[in-house]
Amino acid sequence: MNRIKTCVFFCCGCLAVNASPAICAIRLTDVTAESGVAFRHTDGSSGQYYIVETVSAGLALFDYDNDGRIDIYFLNGAPLKGTKSTRRPRNALYRNLGQWRFEDVTEASGLGDTGFGLGVAVGDYDNDGDADVYLNNFGPNVLYRNNGDGTFTDVTETAGVDAGHQLGAGACFLDIEGDGDLDLYVANYLAFSYQAHEISTLGGHRAYRAPIHHRPLPDMLYRNNGDGTFSDISATAGIAAHAGWGMGIVCADYDNDGDTDIFVGNDVAENFLFRNNGSGVFTEIGMMAGTAYTADGNPGASMGVDCGDYDNDGWLDFKVTSYQQELSTLYRNLQDDFFDDVTQQSGAGGGTLPMVTWGVGIIDFDNDMDRDLFIACGHLQDNVDHYDDVTSYHQRNILLRNDGRGGFTDVSDTGGTGLQVKLSSRGAAFDDLDNDGDVDVVVLNSREAPTLLRNDSTSMGNWLQIRLQGKNSNRDGIGARVTVTAGDLSLIDEVHSGRGYQSHYGTRLYFGLGDHTLVDRVEVRWIGGGKDIFSAVKTNQLLTLVEGSGQGN
């Protein structure tokens, strides 16, 4: 049954539904078989062990046709040198029909890109009211403009954002200077060529070479010119001076100063934290801030990164996934441009040590007012089972429940059938696919079909979902900060475009409210300086909040 009733603030007819059972358990149910999703991922492998194969791919959850249901876009690999293929693989778009049924609309939509897909970001770059798609590929990148009729047009050449022939990674839309349109950050993984390729050996078996054997690359930043084109400002913005092995990225206001900063997870090297000076010029402060390395002073093999306020103190924290024998790291925001690695004391690395971890989400699955952790796992060495008895190629994903006191408990064993699936996962994305008030999960699995997980948790309480619509700021409200206050409870979140492991999710914001039946205040701080305040908001509904429709400061 569909429990969400959508409205624009101040309209009538928002139905409240309240269910507050005394016992809570997070349950994620595997519903892939009945979903109608027939996509299968390929990494283009030919037995040559090209490093490109290991890092594909992310996925996106977004409402491409504005019908109120979240759709799924899967990225795919492509044949690499030496691979024989009778039919070229392509990305796939699945339209959400409701009731956990999805229809393949790839052909009709024009989103069946045949490049080697890695990362994806979604945002309304032209502010025309629909969601556009950017792909970060191995090879030229692609920008698809949404035509508003269910179809997309490749506008890469006109826009000037193909980024050259690079090995890409994550991508994010963000408004770097608060001028009302979306700019674009593009991560690059490393310099790869067939000519320089070599195969490694592990335990007497052929293996993928470590990324440290490939030259790092600087990332790229494009400024939106407001006329459908972009300009490469990587050098003047302070980005091009820093070369790394960029993988997952997220753009967020970590220092609460009203502009958007950039966290880049670098594989086998220090992470970057780019602090925005407010005008779109960035200073890299990862070392000073404590996010460059883990607590033991080592660089992690950073894969994916998400941000969220796990301890409800009003500041965004970062969760970073990593390689085998490295804990997936949680950086707690201590304010004043400083973070503390609290992975071990919080239990946020529970179960991750023998795993290779990729997609990640800081999500309140049970609406109990604090955010849990979902971590997608899967080894990249496809024959690791033959020489390493502490790990495996196919791995189970991990679910860590927030205890509300700053700690996490591994509940994967009791997390439902969705946590029993063992594959080699990559990207993971999170949204309410059935509009019932809780967050579901979609996982892209390397060389396999994806996994769709329906949230069947026993909810501990009420919830509020918020969708923003900018007027002076960008249409999607990307970068806007929302604060929800109910009694002594205060929760924050931001709208992000591009996050996790080379994926996109979270255009809607989700707030678990426990037993609170009324929200006293919702404050929206828009990128560019505007602020709206909404009072006495009912719970258990999806609100669309339009910039300028609330009370001012």
Side-chain angles (χ1 to χ4, degrees):
M1 179 180 178
N2 185 334
R3 292 192 298 162
I4 281 188
K5 302 297 180 181
T6 304
C7 69
V8 175
F9 195 77
F10 294 139
C11 79
C12 299
C14 292
L15 176 66
V17 179
N18 188 8
S20 301
I23 299 175
C24 171
I26 301 176
R27 294 282 188 274
L28 300 177
T29 303
D30 182 0
V31 295
T32 312
E34 57 264 41
S35 69
V37 172
F39 172 81
R40 189 178 183 90
H41 175 264
T42 176
D43 60 9
S45 53
S46 64
Q48 294 303 308
Y49 284 83
Y50 301 123
I51 193 172
V52 181
E53 302 164 18
T54 67
V55 291
S56 177
L59 72 156
L61 299 185
F62 69 109
D63 183 0
Y64 87 96
D65 54 358
N66 288 332
D67 68 349
R69 293 187 289 262
I70 300 297
D71 310 297
I72 310 175
Y73 186 52
F74 296 105
L75 271 60
N76 214 344
L80 299 172
K81 186 177 180 181
T83 303
K84 296 185 176 168
S85 176
T86 57
R87 183 178 180 185
R88 192 167 182 87
R90 65 182 185 181
N91 298 348
L93 177 65
Y94 281 85
R95 182 171 182 256
N96 190 338
L97 303 178
Q99 303 299 318
W100 283 97
R101 294 292 299 171
F102 295 84
E103 175 189 13
D104 188 342
V105 294
T106 308
E107 189 70 31
S109 70
L111 273 185
D113 193 78
T114 57
F116 195 103
L118 294 163
V120 57
V122 177
D124 186 0
Y125 81 92
D126 51 2
N127 284 331
D128 66 350
D130 45 46
D132 310 299
V133 177
Y134 185 79
L135 301 177
N136 201 358
N137 292 330
F138 168 44
N141 297 341
V142 184
L143 176 63
Y144 286 101
R145 185 186 66 218
N146 192 325
N147 299 319
D149 59 0
T151 67
F152 292 79
T153 299
D154 181 347
V155 296
T156 313
E157 185 176 354
T158 301
V161 290
D162 72 359
H165 198 290
Q166 312 258 28
L167 175 53
C172 291
F173 283 108
L174 72 160
D175 185 351
I176 62 173
E177 72 279 75
D179 65 353
D181 50 35
L182 292 175
D183 311 296
L184 178 63
Y185 190 96
V186 181
N188 291 313
Y189 184 35
L190 48 78
F192 171 82
S193 70
Y194 291 115
Q195 295 73 21
H197 169 67
E198 295 181 16
I199 299 176
S200 290
T201 301
L202 289 174
H205 295 267
R206 287 155 63 93
Y208 295 100
R209 294 195 89 195
I212 197 71
H213 296 293
H214 300 265
R215 178 170 53 87
L217 297 172
D219 298 336
M220 305 181 73
L221 180 63
Y222 291 97
R223 172 174 282 138
N224 191 329
N225 298 323
D227 59 0
T229 69
F230 291 77
S231 297
D232 183 351
I233 61 166
S234 309
T236 57
I239 302 300
H242 303 276
W245 290 266
M247 292 286 274
I249 61 177
V250 68
C251 299
D253 183 8
Y254 79 88
D255 52 1
N256 289 359
D257 66 351
D259 51 46
T260 303
D261 313 293
I262 303 168
F263 188 108
V264 181
N266 283 309
D267 197 355
V268 301
E270 68 273 14
N271 300 320
F272 295 151
L273 181 59
F274 290 107
R275 183 179 60 202
N276 192 337
N277 72 356
S279 64
V281 176
F282 295 84
T283 302
E284 203 289 297
I285 64 164
M287 184 82 71
M288 179 185 74
T291 56
Y293 300 105
T294 58
D296 57 9
N298 292 318
S302 300
M303 306 292 197
V305 57
D306 195 17
C307 66
D309 184 10
Y310 86 93
D311 54 358
N312 291 342
D313 66 351
W315 295 78
L316 292 174
D317 313 294
F318 293 111
K319 176 67 175 174
V320 183
T321 54
S322 195
Y323 198 68
Q324 179 190 359
Q325 298 306 311
E326 298 175 354
L327 292 174
S328 174
T329 310
L330 178 62
Y331 294 102
R332 181 171 181 250
N333 194 333
L334 301 181
Q335 307 176 31
D336 298 321
D337 290 329
F338 192 73
F339 290 78
D340 186 23
D341 178 351
V342 296
T343 307
Q344 300 223 41
Q345 57 264 47
S346 69
T352 64
L353 193 62
M355 308 295 195
V356 179
T357 54
W358 304 83
V360 58
I362 306 177
I363 308 293
D364 186 355
F365 286 107
D366 47 10
N367 293 333
D368 66 347
M369 303 179 290
D370 44 53
R371 296 178 180 269
D372 314 295
L373 300 174
F374 184 98
I375 301 167
C377 306
H379 216 285
L380 57 85
Q381 302 289 356
D382 56 4
N383 53 14
V384 69
D385 303 72
H386 297 299
Y387 58 84
D388 189 338
D389 59 5
V390 301
T391 190
S392 60
Y393 178 62
H394 288 153
Q395 299 177 351
R396 199 174 71 174
N397 297 325
I398 294 172
L399 178 62
L400 303 176
R401 185 170 183 265
N402 192 325
D403 64 12
R405 300 183 299 276
F408 294 88
T409 302
D410 188 344
V411 295
S412 306
D413 287 341
T414 59
T417 60
L419 274 300
Q420 304 309 310
V421 176
K422 290 185 70 174
L423 293 168
S424 186
S425 299
R426 295 297 185 268
F430 311 86
D431 217 313
D432 187 357
L433 294 177
D434 51 2
N435 285 345
D436 68 346
D438 52 38
V439 180
D440 310 296
V441 185
V442 183
V443 181
L444 186 144
N445 300 304
S446 180
R447 305 180 183 176
E448 297 283 353
T451 312
L452 279 68
L453 307 181
R454 184 182 64 214
N455 191 338
D456 291 330
S457 303
T458 305
S459 176
M460 283 190 70
N462 302 294
W463 47 270
L464 181 66
Q465 299 184 16
I466 292 176
R467 181 175 54 216
L468 299 181
Q469 183 177 316
K471 291 252 181 161
N472 297 320
S473 59
N474 70 84
R475 175 85 176 192
D476 291 330
I478 290 170
R481 168 73 63 94
V482 176
T483 303
V484 170
T485 304
D488 59 356
L489 175 68
S490 182
L491 304 172
I492 67 161
D493 205 354
E494 289 182 355
V495 182
H496 302 121
S497 166
R499 62 200 300 185
Y501 181 70
Q502 301 179 170
S503 295
H504 170 90
Y505 51 90
T507 304
R508 296 178 184 174
L509 303 181
Y510 296 84
F511 299 90
L513 297 170
D515 60 2
H516 294 279
T517 58
L518 184 72
V519 170
D520 300 315
R521 172 186 170 107
V522 176
E523 177 181 303
V524 183
R525 188 186 71 193
W526 305 88
I527 288 291
K531 184 184 290 186
D532 281 304
I533 298 171
F534 306 90
S535 302
V537 177
K538 291 181 180 179
T539 59
N540 303 311
Q541 61 172 314
L542 168 62
L543 283 177
T544 296
L545 302 182
V546 179
E547 186 175 9
S549 65
Q551 301 171 351
N553 295 325

